[in-house]
Amino acid sequence: MILSSENILLIGSLLLIISVLTTKTSARFGIPTLLLFLVVGMLAGSDGPGGINFSDPKLVQFIGSLSLCFILFSGGLDSRMQDIKPILWPGILLSTIGVIISAVLVGVFAMMVAGFTLLEGLLLGAIVSSTDAAAVFSIIRSMGVGLKGRLRPLLEFESGSNDPMAYFLTIAFIYLIVHPGASFVDLIPMFLKNMVLGAVIGYVMGRLMHFIFLRIRLDIDGLYSVLLIAMVLFTFSVADFVGGNSFLAVYISAFVLGNKDFLHKRSLTKHFDGTAWLMQIVLFLTLGLLVNPSQIWPLAGVGLLISLFLIFVARPLSVHFCLRIFNINHRTRAFISWVGLRGAVPIVFATYPLTAHIAKAPMIFNLVFFITITSVMIQGTTLPMVARW
């Protein structure tokens, strides 16, 4: 079946309904909700009974970036400074140095077992280096995992703030592959521009959002959510237009706004929570439609090796290295290592090599998808049990 303007609404609404209803099954059997969304998309895809022919990585990249924009904004809007402040530095180290360590370790291992060059391995490592905010938020909340003390805000802060570093590493390694004459030194000004502009734009837009919501009085209450949606999209697109990190800009703007009082704050926070769930469903369904399971199975052996290395070696080493200077015991560090779930973010980032026409991009995409599935299945399903331990 080929998607057309006549059937896209019918098929899309049906898939959304099925995905929402499957959340009951998820809660009952302990299956991560996001995994079910992916499965629904795969069943509807070209290799499944649905037979929908969908193979446009540029469209998936657009939908993915848009979805992550709202998911990150919702996460930042719901974060509180009083919760983040005690764990700020551990969270920053995990979301920056921890991401780099994971990317490098996985990259070198992938070079050894998958026949990649060093840069291709590092690109794969960069794509899967960050934990997924959507996966972490949904599994912790939907499975009712009760976490004590500062553990929950640390995990949510890390998963919400480490995507910008993974995004930068992804585009940086793509740049090095596409431009063979470039060196790692060329990445330093690119990194400073990307991160500084993203942070500045995010902070300024967060303050501007707050100023507008304090001053403006709209006649129709429903327009406040429309206005905030427009400002979120404006923040994302302006940061991207000037070369800043758009994901960092959106998260910081939400964090700045969420820690101030403004008109309709409670209703807008709930509205964006619902929007984030809609974006998660749409994103995972779209990614499920794009992937072809028949192309993944031949890579299952290599993918499983890389996934197990990431779960049991790279992630724990990065966590222990970043947190060893803080007063955090080994049991807590072990649990933080286990909550290194990969979700939609790596799969979205895996579309960037496809659109850049890198030679081994299809192999990288399929490996990333397999790594994500195994991460959610192994870590996501066992999360409540490991939390009790």
Side-chain angles (χ1 to χ4, degrees):
M1 182 187 298
I2 299 176
L3 292 175
S4 65
S5 56
E6 289 78 16
N7 62 24
I8 190 169
L9 289 178
L10 173 63
I11 297 171
S13 58
L14 181 61
L15 290 177
L16 281 174
I17 292 170
I18 294 173
S19 298
V20 172
L21 294 179
T22 56
T23 59
K24 296 294 292 182
T25 304
S26 169
R28 182 173 301 176
F29 295 103
I31 303 171
T33 306
L34 302 181
L35 181 60
L36 291 180
F37 297 160
L38 271 176
V39 170
V40 171
M42 292 169 67
L43 291 175
S46 57
D47 281 1
I52 297 175
N53 185 16
F54 180 73
S55 57
D56 190 344
K58 288 187 177 180
L59 179 58
V60 172
Q61 186 176 310
F62 172 77
I63 294 173
S65 298
L66 184 65
S67 301
L68 292 177
C69 172
F70 286 103
I71 292 169
L72 288 174
F73 189 85
S74 175
L77 196 63
D78 203 32
S79 299
R80 296 291 171 263
M81 178 57 79
Q82 61 266 29
D83 297 328
I84 299 298
K85 197 172 182 179
I87 52 88
L88 181 62
W89 287 111
I92 289 176
L93 280 180
L94 285 174
S95 61
T96 53
I97 304 300
V99 169
I100 295 173
I101 293 173
S102 294
V104 171
L105 291 175
V106 172
V108 173
F109 185 76
M111 180 185 67
M112 296 167 58
V113 301
F116 288 148
T117 64
L118 177 60
L119 284 178
E120 289 169 344
L122 290 174
L123 175 58
L124 174 65
I127 291 172
V128 299
S129 60
S130 71
T131 58
D132 192 294
V136 172
F137 293 163
S138 69
I139 290 177
I140 287 178
R141 292 170 183 172
S142 64
M143 289 189 172
V145 179
L147 302 178
K148 297 178 181 179
R150 301 171 181 175
L151 190 53
R152 179 171 183 146
L154 175 58
L155 291 170
E156 294 195 345
F157 177 73
E158 182 211 359
S159 62
S161 61
N162 61 12
D163 293 337
M165 178 59 77
Y167 170 73
F168 170 77
L169 292 177
T170 300
I171 61 174
F173 290 129
I174 290 176
Y175 175 81
L176 291 177
I177 293 173
V178 174
H179 301 85
S183 67
F184 284 94
V185 177
D186 298 327
L187 300 180
I188 297 175
M190 185 189 299
F191 173 80
L192 294 175
K193 177 184 178 182
N194 189 261
M195 291 298 181
V196 172
L197 282 178
V200 170
I201 291 172
Y203 178 78
V204 171
M205 286 304 301
R207 294 297 298 265
L208 180 61
M209 291 176 188
H210 181 242
F211 176 82
I212 291 175
F213 274 86
L214 282 182
R215 298 293 187 274
I216 196 170
R217 291 295 182 271
L218 299 176
D219 295 331
I220 303 173
D221 288 347
L223 289 179
Y224 284 100
S225 60
V226 176
L227 176 62
L228 189 53
I229 288 173
M231 297 190 73
V232 172
L233 295 175
F234 181 77
T235 303
F236 183 86
S237 56
V238 165
D240 184 67
F241 180 76
V242 301
N245 195 307
S246 49
F247 296 110
L248 181 62
V250 165
Y251 184 79
I252 290 180
S253 68
F255 184 77
V256 171
L257 179 64
N259 281 276
K260 296 182 180 296
D261 292 324
F262 57 92
L263 192 63
H264 300 299
K265 178 179 180 179
R266 186 172 182 179
S267 61
L268 286 171
T269 301
K270 288 184 177 180
H271 169 81
F272 270 87
D273 184 53
T275 302
W277 269 104
L278 174 63
M279 291 295 104
Q280 288 178 46
I281 296 173
V282 169
L283 176 55
F284 275 81
L285 285 176
T286 305
L287 294 171
L289 286 172
L290 180 65
V291 73
N292 294 314
S294 60
Q295 298 176 6
I296 295 178
W297 293 122
L299 300 171
V302 174
L304 184 60
L305 281 176
I306 298 174
S307 182
L308 292 177
F309 180 84
L310 173 62
I311 294 171
F312 292 103
V313 180
R315 168 69 176 176
L317 284 177
S318 66
V319 169
H320 284 281
F321 178 83
C322 293
L323 299 184
R324 63 192 181 93
I325 62 174
F326 300 100
N327 187 24
I328 299 177
N329 61 47
H330 291 288
R331 290 166 65 91
T332 303
R333 277 186 260 170
F335 180 73
I336 293 172
S337 301
W338 195 252
V339 193
L341 284 96
R342 272 61 194 172
V345 174
I347 307 175
V348 173
F349 289 169
T351 62
Y352 284 77
L354 289 172
T355 56
H357 305 292
I358 290 176
K360 292 188 179 178
M363 182 179 179
I364 291 174
F365 179 85
N366 289 323
L367 281 174
V368 169
F369 196 92
F370 187 87
I371 291 168
T372 298
I373 291 292
T374 53
S375 172
V376 175
M377 288 183 64
I378 295 173
Q379 295 168 288
T381 55
T382 60
L383 191 56
M385 178 179 65
V386 176
R388 287 194 295 271
W389 289 350

